[in-house]
Amino acid sequence: MLVTTNTVWQWLGEIPDPEIPVLSLTDLGVIRDVHWQEETLVVTVTPTYSGCPATAVINLDIETKLRSHGITNLRLEQQLSPPWTTDWLTDRGREKLRAYGIAPPVRETGAPSASKGRIARLTGQSDVVVACPRCGSQDTEKVSQFGSTPCKAAYRCRACLEPFDYFKCH
Amino acid sequence: MTDKNDHIANDVLFEWLLRRGDTALVLGHRVSEWCGHSPVLEEDIALANIALDLIGQARMWLGLAGEVEGKGRGENELAYLRDAWDFRNLLLAEQPNGDFGKTMMRQFFIDVFQMQMLKALQGSTDPRIAAIAAKAGKEVAYHLDRSADLVIRLGDGTPESHQRMQTALDELWSYTGEMFASDAVDRAMAEAGLAPDPASLQAEWQATVQEVLTDATLILPESTFAHKGGLEGRHTEHLGHILAEMQFLQRAYPGATW
C-alpha cells in the first residue's frame, strides 16, 4: 500500500529550509510536484537561486526525510521552468519570516519583468517600500542589495534604528 | 526535446553552450577573488553572492553542454578537466579585477549583454535553453540593477572615483566588441531559432551603456577596435592563471572526491 501524496506533502512541510529554518520547504514554494510513478515516488523541486548553496542540502534533506518514513523507491527531479519566484512563498511563510525578523518580499515585485528596478532608479522613481519587521515603520533604507544569503538584502530602519534582513523579490 | 536537435549539429550547439557556461564560470571565479578583499563588508558579501549566482548559471549551461555532447562529461569535467584552449569565454570575463571600479565596469558591460541575451533566449525553440535563460535572467537583472547603480555613483562621485571609473572604461572598452562579433556558430544558432545573432544586440547594448555612462559623467572612447579570440579558444595570458588556481585540486589529485 503506497502512502498518499497528501501524507508526503505533510512530511515535506516538516523539513526546514537549511538557511532560514523558520520556513519549511513547502512554505518556500520549492516543491513543485509529488506523484507516484508506479512504485517510485517522484518529487519535483525547483531551485531558488541558481547558485544557492542550500539546493544540494535541500535535496539531501528531502531524501533523508522520506527514507526515514520508509520510502526507499524515490527520485528527485529538478524543474527550472517556470523559474521560482518569491511570489510563491505562502502567507504562512511570510508571517513566519516577519516574526523571525526578516521582512518578507513585497508582493508581485518578483515577476520576471527584467531591469525594472534599474529603469525606476534611472528615471528617479523610488524603490519598493519595505516595512521594518520589528516596529512596522515604513521609514527604512537599503544598506546593501545582498545580505547574509543570496536571497536577502540588508536594510536599516530609520525609526527604531535596527538593521534587518529583507527577503528580496525574485 | 531529445539530445538530437533537428535543425543544428550537436557540436555547434555544444560550442555555443560552452560560450554561455564558460563566460559565467570565468567571470564568477574572477568576482569570487574579491572575497575577503572588498572595500567594505557589504560589498564583500554582495560580490560573493554575485559570484555564486554566476557559478550556478555556469553549472546549468555546462550541464546541458555535457548532455548535448553525449560523451559522458558533466559540469565538473567541463569546468575542471579542460585546458585554456578549450575554454570559450569572452576575453572581457577573464580580465583581471584591477580596482573595485574596474571590477564594476567589467560587470556592468557583461550584465547589460547578458540581460539582453537571456531575454532573447527565453524565446528559444529549445525549451532547455529557454528555461535556463528565464532562471538566469532574473538574477542578471538584479546584478545589472546594482552594477549600473555603482557605475553611476562612482563615475559621478568624487574626482578620485570619477578618474578611476574613466580609466576602467578606457582599459576595458576594447574587450566589449567581442560580444557582438558573430561567427558561423552564432549564425547557425540564429537560423535554427535557438538563439539571437549577437550582432543584433549591439545597438541596444550601446544605447543602454551610453545612457548609464552619461549619468555617470563618463566619456565613451571613440575607438571601435575589438580584441577577439576568446570564443574560439585564443585567450589572454590571464586565463591560464585562473585555471591553475581553479583546477589545482583536480590536477594534483585526479578524480578526487569527498
Side-chain angles (χ1 to χ4, degrees):
Chain A
M1 178 72 182
L2 301 174
V3 298
T4 65
T5 50
N6 271 345
T7 308
V8 175
W9 275 103
Q10 207 180 317
W11 291 337
L12 295 174
E14 292 163 7
I15 306 176
D17 174 77
E19 281 179 340
I20 310 174
V22 287
L23 287 182
S24 72
L25 295 187
T26 50
D27 287 333
L28 200 58
V30 296
I31 313 285
R32 303 310 300 157
D33 186 48
V34 174
H35 71 270
W36 286 100
Q37 202 175 66
E38 292 176 5
E39 304 284 291
T40 304
L41 182 68
V42 182
V43 179
T44 308
V45 187
T46 200
T48 51
Y49 298 82
S50 54
C52 181
T55 307
V57 181
I58 286 175
N59 289 343
L60 185 65
D61 287 348
I62 292 173
E63 197 164 337
T64 309
K65 181 81 177 181
L66 296 178
R67 284 187 191 284
S68 78
H69 284 285
I71 295 182
T72 47
N73 218 343
L74 68 113
R75 190 170 79 238
L76 293 183
E77 280 184 358
Q78 194 191 57
Q79 183 186 321
L80 289 181
S81 179
W84 179 80
T85 161
T86 41
D87 293 342
W88 294 351
L89 278 170
T90 61
D91 286 339
R92 203 175 121 229
R94 299 168 62 86
E95 216 23 72
K96 285 200 261 182
L97 274 180
R98 200 190 320 270
Y100 190 59
I102 299 173
V106 174
R107 276 184 194 285
E108 285 169 24
T109 45
S113 67
S115 87
K116 181 164 55 175
R118 183 187 66 83
I119 289 163
R121 188 154 321 149
L122 291 177
T123 52
Q125 293 160 13
S126 62
D127 263 334
V128 290
V129 176
V130 177
C132 170
R134 190 170 172 273
C135 73
S137 167
Q138 302 204 326
D139 186 16
T140 60
E141 63 181 341
K142 180 156 66 185
V143 178
S144 171
Q145 256 175 305
F146 288 92
S148 52
T149 63
C151 51
K152 285 178 278 177
Y155 271 69
R156 166 163 59 211
C157 177
R158 281 192 287 243
C160 72
L161 305 180
E162 286 295 321
F164 64 90
D165 272 338
Y166 169 53
F167 199 117
K168 77 193 194 197
C169 292
H170 183 74
Chain B
M1 186 156 297
T2 61
D3 58 343
K4 181 104 179 100
N5 195 298
D6 293 342
H7 306 293
I8 198 162
N10 270 0
D11 58 338
V12 173
L13 181 55
F14 174 68
E15 193 75 9
W16 182 90
L17 287 166
L18 288 184
R19 294 177 180 185
R20 304 276 81 73
D22 289 347
T23 296
L25 179 66
V26 169
L27 183 64
H29 185 85
R30 265 291 182 242
V31 176
S32 77
E33 289 172 357
W34 275 102
C35 194
H37 300 276
S38 300
V40 291
L41 185 59
E42 283 81 7
E43 290 310 323
D44 206 296
I45 293 169
L47 286 163
N49 271 310
I50 290 168
L52 210 55
D53 281 346
L54 289 166
I55 290 166
Q57 292 163 15
R59 293 182 63 178
M60 296 192 287
W61 289 122
L62 294 180
L64 179 55
E67 246 178 69
V68 165
E69 187 194 34
K71 291 183 182 166
R73 293 201 285 184
E75 58 188 48
N76 285 315
E77 288 75 19
L78 291 172
Y80 294 115
L81 301 178
R82 283 182 301 149
D83 216 329
W85 46 79
D86 295 323
F87 271 73
R88 298 293 183 260
N89 59 282
L90 292 168
L91 295 177
L92 180 57
E94 70 198 42
Q95 293 311 299
N97 286 334
D99 59 18
F100 182 71
K102 187 173 171 184
T103 291
M104 279 303 127
M105 188 62 78
R106 184 185 62 201
Q107 191 69 32
F108 170 62
F109 285 150
I110 298 183
D111 285 346
V112 179
F113 173 69
Q114 290 270 70
M115 184 58 212
Q116 293 169 229
M117 173 60 90
L118 294 169
K119 209 163 130 189
L121 289 177
Q122 290 175 39
S124 172
T125 51
D126 186 328
R128 300 169 300 182
I129 293 176
I132 296 174
K135 184 83 206 143
K138 298 179 79 171
E139 291 157 3
V140 168
Y142 200 72
H143 300 171
L144 173 60
D145 195 22
R146 191 187 123 78
S147 61
D149 195 35
L150 278 167
V151 166
I152 294 170
R153 283 163 63 184
L154 293 170
D156 188 22
T158 64
E160 170 80 16
S161 73
H162 173 84
Q163 189 47 53
R164 287 188 184 221
M165 292 310 277
Q166 187 65 53
T167 304
L169 173 55
D170 295 342
E171 276 180 30
L172 293 174
W173 184 247
S174 57
Y175 291 98
T176 59
E178 188 186 18
M179 298 191 277
F180 311 104
S182 310
D183 63 6
V185 170
D186 294 310
R187 284 188 291 275
M189 289 293 289
E191 275 163 29
L194 289 165
D197 184 329
S200 69
L201 304 175
Q202 188 162 20
E204 196 192 328
W205 182 87
Q206 184 109 11
T208 306
V209 166
Q210 181 64 68
E211 184 192 349
V212 170
L213 293 182
T214 300
D215 281 0
T217 70
L218 297 170
I219 309 295
L220 209 61
E222 279 171 18
S223 166
T224 54
F225 170 76
H227 293 285
K228 289 174 206 158
L231 301 178
E232 285 137 28
R234 283 177 289 112
H235 293 276
T236 61
E237 70 272 29
H238 308 296
L239 184 64
H241 292 276
I242 294 176
L243 297 185
E245 190 184 38
M246 195 178 85
Q247 299 177 334
F248 164 76
L249 198 84
Q250 276 302 323
R251 287 171 187 267
Y253 306 99
T257 56
W258 64 78

